[in-house]
C-alpha cells in the first residue's frame, strides 16, 4: 500500500509557562487503508501530535508529508485548502452548527471545496448520511439530535470530500458504551472499505479493534504494534 502520511523527526516545545518538550523525535508512516490508534496516558502529547498531523499547528521541527505533498513550511492558505480536500476530522465534541440541519452540516465542507455543484454536494451528503444510518434525520436541526446521532453526523461531514485520512481525537470519548460501540463499528466498516483512519483513543476496546496501535509516553512513541486477526 502507498504511504499516505509520513512524519519525520517531529519535535515540539511549549514555552509557557516554562520551556518544555512535548513531542520528542516522533517518526512513523501511515499506509493507505491503515486503521491506526494512538494511545497513551493523559498529557503524553497525543492531541498535540494530532494537531501537527492535521496541519492546524505549524510550530514544530521535523517534517510532515501527506498524499505525496510536503506540508511543512506551507502557507496557512495552502494548508486550509489541503485540509478541506484531504482531511476529515471527528473530535470528542462534534462542533456541528446547532441551527443547521444534519444535511446542511454535512454539506458545508463540500460546498467550501467547490469541486461539485450544490446539487451534487447534497446528493453526496445524503449518501454519506445513509452510509452511517442517519438518512432519516437529514432534515433535523443538529441541536435536536442525541449525542450519538450528532457524532455520526460529524463522521458523515468528515467523509463528504472523500478525505485521504480521517483523524479523530477521542471520537467516542463523550459517548456512552452503546453509542461508542456504534461509532467504532462505523469506523471499522469505513476502514474495511479502505478508508485511512488515525484515532487518538483512551478506549482499550477501540484500540484493540484497529489494525495498528502506536503507544506514546512522555512525548515519545514507546511501542508500535499490529493487531492481528481483525
Ligand atoms: N498550548 C499549550 N501550552 C503549554 N502546554 C501545553 C499546551 N497544550 C498542551 N500542553 C501540555 O502538553 C502536554 C501534552 O498535552 P496533550 O493535550 O497533547 O496531551 P494528551 O496526550 O492529548 O492528553 P489527554 O489524553 O488528556 O487528552 C501536557 O502536559 C499539556 O499540559
Ligand atoms: Mg488529548
Amino acid at each position: 500500500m502507498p504511504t499516505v502520511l509520513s512524519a519525520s523527526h517531529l519535535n515540539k516545545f511549549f514555552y509557557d509557562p516554562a520551556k518544555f518538550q512535548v513531542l520528542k523525535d516522533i517518526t512513523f508512516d501511515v499506509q493507505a487503508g491503515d486503521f491506526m490508534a494512538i494511545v497513551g496516558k493523559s498529557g503524553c502529547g497525543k492531541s498535540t501530535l494530532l494537531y501537527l498531523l492535521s496541519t492546524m499547528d505549524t510550530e514544530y521541527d521535523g517534517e510532515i508529508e501527506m498524499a505525496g505533498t510536503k506540508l511543512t513550511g506551507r502557507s496557512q492558505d495552502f494548508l486550509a485548502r489541503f485540509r478541506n480536500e484531504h482531511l476529515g476530522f471527528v473530535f470528542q465534541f462534534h462542533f456541528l452548527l446547532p441551527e443547521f440541519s444534519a444535511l446542511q452540516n454535512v454539506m458545508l465542507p463540500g460546498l467550501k471545496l467547490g469541486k461539485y455543484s450544490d446539487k451534487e454536494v447534497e446528493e453526496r451528503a445524503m449518501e454519506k448520511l445513509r452510509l452511517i444510518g442517519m438518512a432519516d434525520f437529514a432534515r433535523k436541526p443538529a441541536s435536536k439530535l442525541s449525542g450519538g446521532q450528532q457524532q455520526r453526523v460529524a463522521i458523515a461531514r468528515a467523509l463528504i470530500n472523500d478525505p485521504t485520512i480521517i483523524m479523530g481525537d477521542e471520537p467516542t470519548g463523550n459517548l456512552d458504551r452503546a453509542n461508542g460501540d456504534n461509532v467504532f463499528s462505523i469506523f471499522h466498516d469505513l476502514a474495511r472499505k479502505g478508508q485511512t483512519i488515525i484515532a487518538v483513543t483512551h478506549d482499550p476496546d477501540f484500540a484493540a479493534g484497529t489494525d495498528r496501535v502506536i503507544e506514546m509516553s512522555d512525548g515519545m512513541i514507546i511501542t508500535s504494534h499490529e493487531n492481528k486477526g481483525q
Side-chain angles (χ1 to χ4, degrees):
M1 281 295 182
T3 299
V4 289
L5 166 67
S6 103
S8 311
H9 305 293
L10 301 180
N11 286 289
K12 178 169 177 74
F13 294 84
F14 283 125
Y15 295 93
D16 191 22
K19 186 173 176 183
F20 149 71
Q21 185 164 10
V22 58
L23 296 177
K24 300 171 182 166
D25 200 35
I26 299 277
T27 296
F28 68 97
D29 284 349
V30 179
Q31 268 65 50
D34 266 357
F35 182 15
M36 195 180 100
I38 300 176
V39 303
K41 290 205 179 72
S42 179
C44 71
K46 304 180 297 294
S47 294
T48 304
L49 175 60
L50 212 58
Y51 273 118
L52 262 55
L53 299 177
S54 67
T55 81
M56 244 99 83
D57 182 354
T58 54
E59 300 290 306
Y60 59 88
D61 299 320
E63 202 173 289
I64 297 172
E65 192 179 305
M66 219 179 298
T69 306
K70 183 180 163 190
L71 298 178
T72 307
R74 299 283 191 172
S75 71
Q76 288 303 325
D77 274 3
F78 180 95
L79 293 175
R81 266 198 312 276
F82 185 91
R83 276 198 296 275
N84 195 39
E85 186 175 352
H86 288 281
L87 296 176
F89 299 104
V90 184
F91 293 120
Q92 182 172 354
F93 303 100
H94 45 78
F95 305 117
L96 298 177
L97 297 176
E99 308 298 318
F100 282 48
S101 70
L103 180 64
Q104 287 170 320
N105 270 286
V106 176
M107 287 175 67
L108 277 176
L111 296 173
K112 196 167 143 202
L113 185 66
K115 188 166 152 191
Y116 302 101
S117 72
D118 293 10
K119 180 101 184 45
E120 284 167 323
V121 172
E122 182 168 341
E123 281 161 11
R124 290 170 56 80
M126 276 309 297
E127 187 190 302
K128 303 301 181 193
L129 283 169
R130 229 173 277 127
L131 192 70
I132 49 103
M134 284 295 293
D136 291 348
F137 298 87
R139 307 283 164 187
K140 247 190 148 176
S143 61
K144 298 203 168 138
L145 298 172
S146 74
Q149 291 168 341
Q150 292 184 23
Q151 196 61 316
R152 279 146 73 192
V153 172
I155 297 174
R157 181 184 55 183
L159 289 168
I160 186 71
N161 293 334
D162 294 329
T164 306
I165 305 179
I166 290 205
M167 294 186 183
D169 196 351
E170 299 285 350
T172 59
N174 199 29
L175 302 176
D176 62 25
R177 186 79 254 170
N179 279 304
D181 287 350
N182 186 289
V183 163
F184 171 78
S185 61
I186 291 169
F187 274 32
H188 194 261
D189 289 349
L190 291 169
R192 292 289 77 81
K193 290 176 186 150
Q195 175 68 55
T196 311
I197 301 172
I198 302 175
V200 166
T201 185
H202 276 120
D203 179 344
D205 292 337
F206 188 114
T210 63
D211 301 326
R212 186 171 157 217
V213 181
I214 280 184
E215 186 181 357
M216 290 178 66
S217 175
D218 193 21
M220 289 178 280
I221 293 178
I222 52 166
T223 64
S224 170
H225 70 267
E226 313 273 319
N227 283 324
K228 298 287 178 215
Q230 293 305 314

